Amino acid sequence: MNPDPFIPCYRRLPLRFVRGEGARLFTEDGRPYLDLLSGIAVNALGHAHPRLVEALRDQAGALLHASNLYRHPWGDELATRLAEASGLDLVFFCNSGAEANETALKIARCHHHDLGDPRPGFLALEGGFHGRSLGALSITAKESYRRPFEPLLHGVEWLPPNDQAALAAALRGRRAAALILEPIQGESGVHPLEEGYLQAARDLCDETGTLLIHDEIQCGAGRTGSFLAAEAAGVVPDLVTLAKPIGGGLPLGAVIARAEVGKVLRPGDHGSTFGGNPMACRGGLVFLEELLDHGLLERVAEGGARFREGLEELAERHPSAREVRGRGYMLALELEVPAAPVLDALLGEGVLANAVTETALRFLPPYVLTDDEREEALSILDRALDAADATLHRSDDP
Ligand SMILES: *Cc1c(COP(=O)(O)O)cnc(C)c1O
């Protein structure tokens, strides 16, 4: 057996997980880890959620796949509920975030094409992340992610977040097909956009006939304590893309569109073989039911506020910690020191988080995190920051 038979595009820890339960993951030798990352914002219901397991067992014995040539009840119900929860009308199902964004870009191009006013360009934000496929990569800001794969889509212009003057100039000057943004930027380090900026983007897109795409793949589907993060600003986009948690852990992505915008894709224009298969939709239905019918959304709002308070208290007390960003269960702790040693200390104590930048820890816990688990995580972090404080003092010494 090749000891490492993988294309080496991931930097992986030498941990092999074989089982999970709630917010805990277990390695093959039985060591438990408190999972504050949820498989990068995916396992919102935690691991082995009993209702989810039961539904998926049932679904596996009923129907896995029949193709998009036909309908099935789980897809019909999930699409209806997602459109309603988003304040939008039409849904396209796919399998990932990148695929959802590709679809949104195609819809935007097609919309202007149909109006007899082709607009090739896109506006995207510095710090924005939208996925790894060539189209999604074209609108992803990080230069090192894009460089080896150029040329990408032409006509993408980058805007500084929260700069309304630059936004107005670009939208009025460029006649772009769409503006795409994350209401809370995830991969750049958990940076919420200002509510005034989100509203200005909506107003300027209306004024210029530019479509507004919200990428809520990381910040949406309940993670911030509302179904969509942009609800806090009272802004509804023309298209929203969702993925990560919406399949309850199974691969599922979605584009949800205003009716007049979504209707531009006609038979033959787009497709996805696996997109919206019965298994993924059944997982998605359990996720939505837990979130919207069984009080999980309220739990995220409350638990997230407590988590944030706990982090703020640590940031006040520890010289190695600087500020807390984000809301709900999408939080970052910006440090005065490199994040890697703090992350190692957490890992040594059985806590999983990640370093979203060189100096920021990111927490994306499962929505089912209990009060005890949160307090346990905060006290372990407290100790890890004690050690980080000590390194800070040492480096201050002459
Ligand atoms: C993760 C992510 C994506 C890409 O999703 P994949 O499922 O990995 O393709 C796109 N946008 C945002 C904001 C993300 O966080």
Side-chain angles (χ1 to χ4, degrees):
M1 188 173 84
N2 184 341
D4 195 357
F6 295 101
I7 289 174
C9 60
Y10 295 113
R11 191 179 295 112
R12 287 202 250 235
L13 294 169
L15 289 173
R16 298 215 298 180
F17 289 114
V18 291
R19 190 170 75 76
E21 198 182 321
R24 307 249 175 212
L25 278 168
F26 297 86
T27 54
E28 51 196 343
D29 51 9
R31 188 168 150 74
Y33 286 83
L34 183 56
D35 181 8
L36 299 186
L37 203 54
S38 315
I40 318 184
V42 169
N43 303 103
L45 299 185
H47 304 281
H49 186 278
R51 273 199 69 226
L52 181 65
V53 171
E54 195 193 318
L56 295 181
R57 279 210 175 104
D58 177 66
Q59 191 63 43
L63 185 64
L64 290 180
H65 179 87
S67 91
N68 285 307
L69 299 177
Y70 316 101
R71 300 173 72 134
H72 57 77
W74 309 281
D76 289 354
E77 186 178 345
L78 185 62
T80 303
R81 292 210 66 179
L82 282 174
E84 200 176 277
S86 307
L88 291 162
D89 307 301
L90 299 176
V91 176
F92 177 84
F93 283 129
C94 52
N95 306 284
S96 71
E99 199 187 349
N101 284 333
E102 294 290 336
T103 306
L105 297 181
K106 283 182 71 177
I107 290 175
R109 285 247 178 111
C110 196
H111 169 81
H112 297 287
H113 173 271
D114 279 12
L115 291 174
D117 172 32
R119 297 188 185 194
F122 295 101
L123 300 172
L125 264 53
E126 290 166 9
F129 178 86
H130 302 291
R132 304 297 199 144
S133 57
L134 288 174
L137 192 57
S138 303
I139 50 169
T140 287
K142 202 168 176 174
E143 177 115 25
S144 63
Y145 286 177
R146 283 188 282 120
R147 181 51 54 80
F149 309 104
E150 289 174 340
L152 297 169
L153 285 181
H154 293 299
V156 177
E157 188 181 336
W158 308 99
L159 303 174
N162 295 322
D163 181 339
Q164 292 190 30
L167 183 70
L171 276 159
R172 290 185 179 133
R174 280 291 308 270
R175 296 169 37 76
L179 164 67
I180 182 160
L181 56 82
E182 299 157 84
I184 302 180
Q185 292 189 326
E187 296 306 299
S188 79
V190 185
H191 292 279
L193 295 179
E194 290 162 10
E195 290 185 5
Y197 185 80
L198 292 173
Q199 185 61 57
R202 176 69 279 177
D203 295 342
L204 285 158
C205 281
D206 288 341
E207 177 193 316
T208 58
T210 311
L211 293 181
L212 177 61
I213 305 171
H214 282 180
D215 176 343
E216 294 229 12
I217 290 163
Q218 187 166 150
C219 63
R223 182 149 294 278
T224 65
S226 50
F227 184 70
L228 294 177
E231 281 174 35
V235 172
V236 181
D238 299 299
L239 298 143
V240 65
T241 53
L242 295 174
K244 294 194 165 112
I246 66 163
L250 286 153
L252 182 65
V255 181
I256 312 170
R258 213 154 47 74
E260 312 86 87
V261 173
K263 72 171 195 221
V264 302
L265 290 187
R266 283 179 287 265
D269 284 341
H270 195 57
S272 173
T273 296
F274 287 117
N277 65 76
M279 197 73 173
C281 288
R282 188 76 182 269
L285 274 176
V286 174
F287 166 68
L288 265 198
E289 287 160 8
E290 290 296 313
L291 188 72
L292 302 176
D293 306 339
H294 299 171
L296 197 56
L297 191 59
E298 291 73 20
R299 259 178 84 183
V300 174
E302 243 184 73
R306 296 289 95 73
F307 203 143
R308 194 186 154 113
E309 280 166 21
L311 290 176
E312 276 168 353
E313 193 270 323
L314 292 177
E316 253 166 54
R317 212 148 39 70
H318 289 280
S320 59
R322 184 188 306 170
E323 69 159 1
V324 183
R325 292 189 296 266
R327 61 176 190 270
Y329 279 149
M330 182 174 182
L331 296 165
L333 180 63
E334 183 70 41
L335 303 173
E336 299 283 355
V337 295
V342 181
L343 206 59
D344 283 347
L346 292 177
L347 196 65
E349 300 277 341
V351 172
L352 304 176
N354 98 318
V356 67
T357 67
E358 296 283 301
T359 55
L361 296 172
R362 174 173 54 173
F363 304 100
L364 299 164
Y367 300 177
V368 296
L369 191 76
T370 64
D371 291 346
D372 286 349
E373 286 161 346
R374 182 187 66 242
E375 293 311 314
E376 180 190 345
L378 287 168
S379 74
I380 291 171
L381 181 58
D382 193 4
R383 287 202 296 279
L385 291 173
D386 280 339
D389 292 345
T391 66
L392 198 65
H393 296 141
R394 256 207 309 282
S395 62
D396 285 346
D397 288 342

